[in-house]
Amino acid sequence: MTEAIAYDVVVLGAGPVGENVADRARSGGLSTAIVESELAGGECSYWACMPSKALLRPVIARADARRVPGLCHAVQGPLDTAAVLAHRDNYASHWKDDGQVAWIESIGADLYRGHGRLAGPRTVTVTAADGTVTTLSARHAVAVCTGTRAALPSLPGLADAKPWTSREATSADHVPARLVVVGGGVVGTEMATAWQALGSQVTLLVRENGLLSRMEPFAGELATDALREAGADVRTSVSVTAVERNGATVSVTLDDGSTLEADEILFATGRAPRTDDIGLESVGLEPGSWLSVDDTLRVEGSEWLYAVGDVNRRALLTHQGKYQARQAGAAITARAAGVPLLATDRWAAHVATADHGAVPQVVFTDPEAASAGLTLAEAEAAGHRVRAVDYDLANVAGSGLYADGYTGRARMVVDLDRETLLGVTFVGPGVGELIHAATVAIAGEVPMDRLWHAVPAYPTVSEVWLRLLETYRG
């Protein structure tokens, strides 16, 4: 057997999470190897965050412009589809990872291309495309940063129907005349918004009774109204029972016995961890499972194995995964240096706590939906004594200046015992840029009487903070 190449840290997965773990480990003086079977840069760079937002930005910009006097008449025509797709291609680096590889080299980490698998404690084998196998050993840590993949339901005919997943939806080179989208979460709602605006006739099928079910109910209600106004057919409380492709046409059977026909069908029905073929069985873990970790991102029961980002299921968001990576890298570096870690210090550089209660998220639809922390239902289910404070964003001075007929809502969820915020949700044009203030207030546990002295600039949409606080104070 070929002798293993030794590193201090071996990282499985060169997406944004793996790259950040490697960067933190290298900055701490640890030798680091990164293993990647696809493109360095990962899902976010090529099939998720970047290409999806590049598709959506022209859609949202046009929608905003259509609400501005003096400009609205100039933007009534269709989008330049070729230009939008070219813009998307540019942001996806044309699905080439030269830039990401150069960055990995610049931090002094070694990139191994191939399929990485655990082969026992602190050992990883890498099988390259030509079949060559390289064995790596880790003195201090192996970090699993392999992310997630689209989870497809078990439906008759689905495999042969060649359905789109999030990857095809963000990288397609043509606009299907008719597109069925299954799933009313973030991916389904965003992609329905994008492709309807690009020229598809979208039918959105949602098993729940509304869109964006993990946010406040009004987020899904306003998103539904906007999609229908744009021409999409949104159907709730409906399920797909079978799919069949006949040439260029997809036939979709619903649970009420009716059928639909489309050119493409997108399933946005959840995610599954990419842990089914990474050798978990060699270290006593179940292949295909989510990996449970402590707040230093170390796998429970292990002294050397870390699981960072989506694979631990704490918060399936790129920015949260990168945050976890920074914390994990600090923890690995400290342990390698023999520094005792105080797990009780929730503000320490090596402890991940932000993914418990202050998670921000923006859904880039028209209107945008942005949230941080808990919804009212989540706060009540967790046993908090809370009060929801609502405000109509249309009644904020800056909203009317932002757009004629501005439609939106705001809610903050207040912990009545501690007089701090547990959650904030904004829905309306441009609200994505408001959410970091809410994140700071929640993570910093800023008392309500101190927030009163954080004066928002006038006339901006952020004046909603003043209106929410006035409503709370009565």
Side-chain angles (χ1 to χ4, degrees), residues 295-296 323 327 330 341-353:
D295 281 347
T296 65
Y323 160 76
Q327 307 305 91
L341 302 186
L342 300 176
T344 56
D345 183 359
R346 64 192 180 111
W347 304 122
H350 57 267
V351 175
T353 56

Side-chain angles (χ1 to χ4, degrees), residues 47-62:
W47 301 287
C49 320
M50 300 307 288
S52 67
K53 303 315 169 279
L55 287 173
L56 285 159
R57 178 58 192 149
V59 175
I60 295 170
R62 182 182 66 166

Side-chain angles (χ1 to χ4, degrees), residues 303-359:
E303 295 295 318
W304 56 272
L305 185 63
Y306 292 72
V308 192
D310 285 6
V311 290
N312 62 39
R313 212 180 190 178
R314 287 162 68 114
L316 275 66
L317 295 160
T318 296
H319 47 276
Q320 292 299 129
K322 291 166 71 174
Y323 160 76
Q324 290 181 15
R326 296 190 291 271
Q327 307 305 91
I332 292 168
T333 301
R335 287 186 172 122
V339 176
L341 302 186
L342 300 176
T344 56
D345 183 359
R346 64 192 180 111
W347 304 122
H350 57 267
V351 175
T353 56
D355 47 16
H356 292 320
V359 177

